[in-house]
Amino acid sequence: MSMYRNENEEHWSDHAICRGADPDLFFPIGYSAPVLKAQEDAAKAICANCPVKAECLSWALQVGEPDGVWGGTTPEERRYLRRTADAPVRKPLPVIVVRGDASESEHASAA
């Protein structure tokens, strides 16, 4: 299998509905000001109806795309997804009793 796509071969991005949209909409300068939040919401609304949203998000996560709205997610949301996907399953820590910090009955009910 070739590493390079045949020019006639379709790619998920060929079916992305954002192809006709203004690229600036998907690359806000920031993500906190109200006007930028509105821009982010507009980009996500386009993504919400896209038939290749999952492929787009998967690609952005694979390459570590640091900017823009991809697959309906912001860079911060993708960082969160990568952290939680890579994180080991958390197990509850045992209750540690330090002498004098609580009564015995409180420790018994916590265990």
Side-chain angles (χ1 to χ4, degrees), residues 90-110:
R90 294 179 183 222
K91 297 178 183 173
L93 296 174
V95 175
I96 300 173
V97 177
V98 177
R99 210 175 359 206
D101 70 344
S103 71
E104 290 297 318
S105 63
E106 286 181 61
H107 291 297
S109 66

Side-chain angles (χ1 to χ4, degrees), residues 29-43:
I29 298 169
Y31 294 92
S32 58
V35 71
L36 297 173
K37 177 69 173 135
Q39 186 177 352
E40 174 190 315
D41 290 345

Side-chain angles (χ1 to χ4, degrees), residues 32-75:
S32 58
V35 71
L36 297 173
K37 177 69 173 135
Q39 186 177 352
E40 174 190 315
D41 290 345
K44 286 182 169 188
I46 292 172
C47 294
N49 295 308
C50 187
V52 293
K53 178 181 173 182
E55 292 88 341
C56 181
L57 175 57
S58 177
W59 178 85
L61 291 170
Q62 279 182 329
V63 301
E65 180 59 58
D67 299 307
V69 174
W70 292 88
T73 62
T74 63

Side-chain angles (χ1 to χ4, degrees), residues 4-54:
Y4 302 99
R5 259 188 342 128
N6 179 322
E7 64 183 48
N8 296 324
E9 184 180 325
E10 288 192 346
H11 187 262
W12 65 262
S13 61
D14 295 334
H15 301 283
I17 62 175
C18 64
R19 288 178 61 92
D22 180 1
D24 290 341
L25 179 66
F26 293 87
F27 293 91
I29 298 169
Y31 294 92
S32 58
V35 71
L36 297 173
K37 177 69 173 135
Q39 186 177 352
E40 174 190 315
D41 290 345
K44 286 182 169 188
I46 292 172
C47 294
N49 295 308
C50 187
V52 293
K53 178 181 173 182

Side-chain angles (χ1 to χ4, degrees), residues 71-94:
T73 62
T74 63
E76 181 178 274
E77 292 165 339
R78 289 191 301 279
R79 280 191 295 275
Y80 174 79
L81 289 171
R82 281 192 298 271
R83 276 195 312 267
T84 56
D86 294 338
V89 175
R90 294 179 183 222
K91 297 178 183 173
L93 296 174

